[in-house]
Every structure is written in structure tokens, then in C-alpha cells.
Amino acid sequence: MCAHAYIGSIILMESQITLIFFAKSQELSGLKDSQLSVPQSVSYSQLLSLILQAFPRLEPISENLILSLNEDYISVEEEVITLQTGDEVGVIPPISGG
Amino acid sequence: MCAHAYIGSIILMESQITLIFFAKSQELSGLKDSQLSVPQSVSYSQLLSLILQAFPRLEPISENLILSLNEDYISVEEEVITLQTGDEVGVIPPISGG
Amino acid sequence: MDHVEITVDKLNVERIQSSVASPKCGAISLFIGTTRDHFDGKEVVQLEYEAYRPMAEKKMKEICQQIRDKWPVENISVVHRVGVVPVCEASIVIALSSPHRKEAMEAVQFAIDTLKATVPIWKKELYGDGTSSWKENKECCWKSDHT
Amino acid sequence: MDHVEITVDKLNVERIQSSVASPKCGAISLFIGTTRDHFDGKEVVQLEYEAYRPMAEKKMKEICQQIRDKWPVENISVVHRVGVVPVCEASIVIALSSPHRKEAMEAVQFAIDTLKATVPIWKKELYGDGTSSWKENKECCWKSDHT
């Protein structure tokens, strides 16, 4: 289920992930969820940049988001995140449950 | 309401107190409550001795009792307890509420 | 509100919890003491509580005051059941509300620790083998050495 | 028993408490988070909770496991309400039973602290002046600096 994108001479394997938005990230993006094509392997900061690029309205909370992958938080220090088509990435603003 | 008791040449002022028994002290004494004449002024250890003398069945728990006066614990170090007729003294075995 | 009560009725946790709720408060902490079905390997078939009622209520009110001296709590309710308490049912419910949760939880812990050390209430366990025993809280400073 | 739940229904404290009771246990500790009617001097007229439901339940189950790694508890129930929660009503109930009370109280404190730091649920306060605000727990490590 991977698309092949040619950038210069490099073949990047891409995956189609599902982004889901909550609370403030849902209000700012105006979306509950969305699809995004991303490289199969990215660092945390690359993934965040790609999301902010695709959804610039998230900029106001760009410093206060955490991303999740398939219902687990991703560490902001993660260098190699492997993403497969169908993976669910949460765009998670500061929580306030309890 | 004080009785006058002549012991030798000393006049002791006495008070009639109400003793109340609970749990093990009630089981051992076989009583829920009882009257006892005691001096108007006693130390804690004197009061305890008088009670044990009057109710020798309490002997098995004599080391594990606390006395109360009008719903407050009396300190075992109390040297001067002033007792008036009608005062309520509790004979309190180790507690187990909660 | 400070509410202390000794009752023969089954304790209603929902009612006690509602009674301490306050729109000013974000936290309610509750402790519920329940009766166990065994002690030292022996089956407990029945539990019975007895109280020196006026003194117990007085000591419970003193605990409320001590809590207020230490923590900014809103409402406090301490209810102890007496008489026969079937296994699994509550013998004591302590509930209190406060604006924030830390003080509510600390105050409940203080309340049950202090109650076990100072409030004149006694529990008798009746065992499956026909024997029975008056219990002694380890928090009670005049307890027997062997317990 | 580990029970975690996210529900739109009003929380029933009595039911949750009964569900963790056990004849092996002498203690049940409960924490109840209730909604307050004011924040920073502003009147709160409505509160609404939203959850990333499957992840929230997963994180709540992880908290149960962490509790079991630390304390010998018997039954755990963690129930969070979502949707509109009227002032004074409970948004969260954490209940757990253990043979002795100390571990029950410590575990509940751990559970609410950890829930506030890790479980993806959000609260929006609507104020009397028509404004509203998404809240941020101070326990949340990626919160904004200004809160």
C-alpha cells in the first residue's frame, strides 16, 4: 500500500497515515481526522514538521503538541519512526482529564 | 452531693461516680455500668487501683485499659483528677474501630 | 460542614459522597473500611461493632477540627456503623471535599489513622470454629503487647 | 479485576464502589473529581470533556498494571465521564480495594496523578461571560508555559 515518490534521484517509500485531531488541535485544524502521505521512516521532529506544513493552522500550538502512534505517545527524541499505511497518528494538545 | 467519710482523723470528701464498661471490660465485669464512691481528688493510678479493687474481674486487662472522664481520655500521668458526683468514668479496653 | 455519625444502618456511600460535594470543590476523597472474611487463616463469619457513643462522636468531631487546622477542606463526613456488619459491607466511611485533591487525600488518610488511634469503638470477630475475639487496632497506644 | 471505562453517563459512585469490594479486603479508597463552579474568579457555567477514547482506555489500563507492579491491590476501577458534566457532578471516579488501607490510599493517589499526566482527555470550560477555554493539567509535561 505504499506510493513511490521521486524526489530528485531518490526513491522515497511513502505511507498514507491517518491523522486525528482533538480539542484545540481539532478546533484549529477544523478537522476531526485527515489522511497524510509521509515517508515510511521519519524522526519525530520531521513528522511534526510535515504535519505543521500540511496543517499550518496548528502553528499556535506547535510547541504544545505531542504526537501518538497507534495509541502510544511517541518520544520527541525518537529518531526512527516507521510508519505504515493505515497507522493512526494523534495530534494531542495538552491534556486536562481527571 | 458529697459524702463525708471519717478515716482516722482525716475527713475525705467523696464523690459518687458512674463507671461504664465496654467490650472486653464489659464482658469481664459482667456490667454495663456501675456506681463507685471515690475521693474527690485522686491520681490516675489511684483511680485505676480503686476500680480494679472494686471490680477484680478486670485484672486480666488491667495493663491494657485507659480511663476516660466525661468523654475525654485521662492521661496516665495525671496526678490530680478532680471527681464530682455524677461524673462518668469509662473503662476503655484497646479500641478497634475503623 | 462537619458531620459525624454512629449508626446501626447500612452505610450509603452515594449519600455520604453527595453530602460532601460542593461547587467550590474539585476533589472528593473517600475511605471505606470493609469487613474481611478471614483473619490469620480463620474464617470470620460475623463482625460486630460497639461504640462508647457520645465519646466516639466527640472524638470524631475533634478529628474534624484537627483536619481543619491542617488542610483547607470544605465538607467532612465521618460515619461509623455499629452492630453486626456483614462481610464485605462498610463499617466506616470517611468522605471529604476540598478545592484541590492533594489535601483531600492527605486529610482522609489522617482521619482514618487518627480514628483508629482515638475513637472508642470496638470490633468483635466471630470465627467459623465458634471462637470470638475483640480486636485491637495497632494504632491504639494502650493495646496488648501480643497483638 | 481491572475495570476502565469512558462513559457519557452520570457516574454512579455506589455502583463503582460495590464493584471493587471484596471479602478479602479491609479497605476501599476512592477519589472523585468533581467540576467546580469557578476558575480564577470567573463563573464556570458548563464543562465538557472529550477523550481520545481507545488510547485513553489503553493508558488507563496501563495505570492499573503500574499499580499492580507497586501495590498488592485486589480490584481497580477507573471511570471517566465525557460530554457535558454539570457543576458538582463527578468527572472521574477511581476506586480500589486492598487488604490494608495504606496501599489502597497510596495507589489511588498514584492513579489520579498518573491519569492527569498521561490519559488523553480534554476539558473545556465555558464561562459566564461567553468565553471558553481548553484546560491544561499541570501534570501534563507538554503543557503551555503560561498555565
Side-chain angles (χ1 to χ4, degrees):
Chain A
M1 296 289 287
C2 295
H4 293 218
Y6 292 83
I7 297 180
S9 60
I10 309 159
I11 297 172
L12 285 181
M13 301 295 278
E14 293 219 323
S15 298
Q16 180 90 346
I17 60 169
T18 301
L19 289 176
I20 38 179
F21 303 96
F22 303 95
K24 192 108 184 172
S25 79
Q26 190 174 103
E27 280 186 358
L28 289 172
S29 69
L31 296 166
K32 288 204 162 195
D33 52 68
S34 183
Q35 302 295 308
L36 188 66
S37 284
V38 293
Q40 271 199 309
S41 180
V42 287
S43 72
Y44 183 91
S45 57
Q46 284 168 335
L47 181 59
L48 182 60
S49 294
L50 287 168
I51 292 169
L52 292 170
Q53 227 170 289
F55 303 94
R57 289 181 181 179
L58 293 175
E59 195 53 48
I61 56 166
S62 63
E63 307 275 298
N64 303 109
L65 286 179
I66 280 283
L67 300 176
S68 65
L69 172 59
N70 297 333
E71 300 162 16
D72 277 312
Y73 293 108
I74 316 175
S75 162
V76 297
E77 274 136 40
E78 191 63 55
E79 288 298 330
V80 185
I81 303 164
T82 305
L83 295 166
Q84 296 184 292
T85 290
D87 277 350
E88 186 171 284
V89 170
V91 180
I92 299 186
I95 57 177
S96 41
Chain B
M1 297 288 289
C2 295
H4 292 217
Y6 291 82
I7 297 180
S9 59
I10 308 158
I11 297 171
L12 285 181
M13 302 295 276
E14 292 218 324
S15 298
Q16 180 91 345
I17 60 170
T18 301
L19 289 175
I20 37 178
F21 304 97
F22 303 96
K24 191 108 184 172
S25 78
Q26 190 174 101
E27 280 187 358
L28 289 171
S29 70
L31 296 165
K32 288 205 162 197
D33 53 68
S34 183
Q35 302 295 308
L36 187 67
S37 283
V38 293
Q40 272 198 310
S41 180
V42 287
S43 70
Y44 182 92
S45 56
Q46 285 169 335
L47 180 59
L48 182 60
S49 295
L50 288 168
I51 292 169
L52 291 170
Q53 226 171 291
F55 303 94
R57 288 180 182 183
L58 293 174
E59 195 53 49
I61 57 166
S62 63
E63 306 276 297
N64 303 109
L65 286 178
I66 280 283
L67 300 175
S68 65
L69 172 59
N70 298 333
E71 301 163 16
D72 277 310
Y73 293 109
I74 315 175
S75 163
V76 296
E77 273 135 41
E78 192 62 56
E79 289 297 330
V80 184
I81 304 164
T82 306
L83 294 165
Q84 295 185 294
T85 290
D87 278 349
E88 186 172 284
V89 170
V91 179
I92 299 186
I95 57 177
S96 42
Chain C
M1 170 204 85
D2 289 355
H3 175 74
V4 306
E5 188 182 341
I6 289 171
T7 176
V8 295
D9 299 327
K10 187 175 175 179
L11 302 185
N12 184 327
V13 175
E14 185 83 27
R15 188 183 60 77
I16 296 168
Q17 180 256 326
S18 301
S19 76
V20 301
S22 159
K24 291 182 214 155
C25 288
I28 297 173
S29 184
L30 272 114
F31 174 79
I32 302 160
T34 52
T35 56
R36 296 165 66 181
D37 65 356
H38 63 286
F39 173 74
D40 267 358
K42 283 197 279 193
E43 186 203 5
V44 176
V45 293
Q46 189 177 295
L47 275 138
E48 199 163 351
Y49 284 87
E50 174 184 331
Y52 181 4
R53 208 160 171 150
M55 180 168 169
E57 285 173 350
K58 185 175 183 179
K59 294 295 146 194
M60 285 153 79
K61 277 182 201 141
E62 285 176 12
I63 292 172
C64 295
Q65 190 50 55
Q66 288 171 293
I67 287 171
R68 292 188 183 284
D69 291 345
K70 287 172 202 274
W71 294 280
V73 305
E74 186 72 17
N75 295 316
I76 308 174
S77 182
V78 182
V79 187
H80 204 300
R81 184 171 173 187
V82 291
V84 173
V85 178
V87 165
C88 234
E89 290 190 10
S91 52
I92 172 100
V93 176
I94 299 173
L96 55 82
S97 57
S98 63
H100 301 288
R101 73 183 185 282
K102 194 167 180 297
E103 54 259 30
M105 290 191 279
E106 286 178 0
V108 163
Q109 195 144 4
F110 170 85
I112 179 66
D113 289 349
T114 309
L115 183 142
K116 288 201 167 237
T118 66
V119 175
I121 295 178
W122 299 270
K123 172 167 73 171
K124 189 183 200 167
E125 286 181 351
L126 180 67
Y127 305 109
D129 61 8
T131 60
S132 68
S133 166
W134 288 103
K135 308 300 290 180
E136 301 183 1
N137 288 340
K138 65 176 192 304
E139 297 81 1
C140 171
C141 60
W142 65 96
K143 71 175 192 300
S144 316
D145 290 335
H146 62 269
T147 58
Chain D
M1 172 204 82
D2 289 355
H3 175 73
V4 306
E5 188 181 341
I6 289 172
T7 176
V8 295
D9 300 328
K10 187 173 175 179
L11 302 186
N12 184 326
V13 175
E14 185 85 26
R15 189 182 59 77
I16 296 168
Q17 180 256 325
S18 301
S19 75
V20 301
S22 159
K24 291 181 212 153
C25 289
I28 297 173
S29 183
L30 274 113
F31 174 79
I32 302 159
T34 51
T35 57
R36 296 164 65 182
D37 65 354
H38 63 288
F39 172 75
D40 266 358
K42 284 197 278 192
E43 186 203 4
V44 175
V45 292
Q46 190 179 296
L47 275 138
E48 200 164 350
Y49 285 87
E50 175 185 331
Y52 180 3
R53 209 161 170 149
M55 180 167 168
E57 285 174 350
K58 186 175 182 177
K59 294 295 145 194
M60 286 153 80
K61 277 182 201 142
E62 285 176 12
I63 293 172
C64 295
Q65 190 49 57
Q66 287 172 295
I67 288 172
R68 292 189 183 281
D69 292 343
K70 286 171 202 275
W71 294 280
V73 305
E74 185 73 16
N75 295 315
I76 308 174
S77 183
V78 182
V79 187
H80 204 299
R81 184 171 173 187
V82 290
V84 174
V85 179
V87 165
C88 236
E89 291 191 10
S91 53
I92 171 99
V93 177
I94 298 173
L96 55 82
S97 57
S98 63
H100 301 288
R101 72 184 185 281
K102 194 166 180 295
E103 55 258 30
M105 290 191 280
E106 286 179 359
V108 162
Q109 195 144 2
F110 170 84
I112 179 65
D113 289 350
T114 309
L115 184 142
K116 288 202 166 237
T118 66
V119 175
I121 295 177
W122 299 269
K123 173 167 71 172
K124 189 183 200 168
E125 286 183 352
L126 179 68
Y127 305 110
D129 62 8
T131 60
S132 69
S133 166
W134 287 103
K135 308 299 291 179
E136 302 183 0
N137 288 340
K138 65 176 193 301
E139 296 82 0
C140 170
C141 59
W142 65 96
K143 72 175 193 298
S144 315
D145 290 336
H146 61 270
T147 57

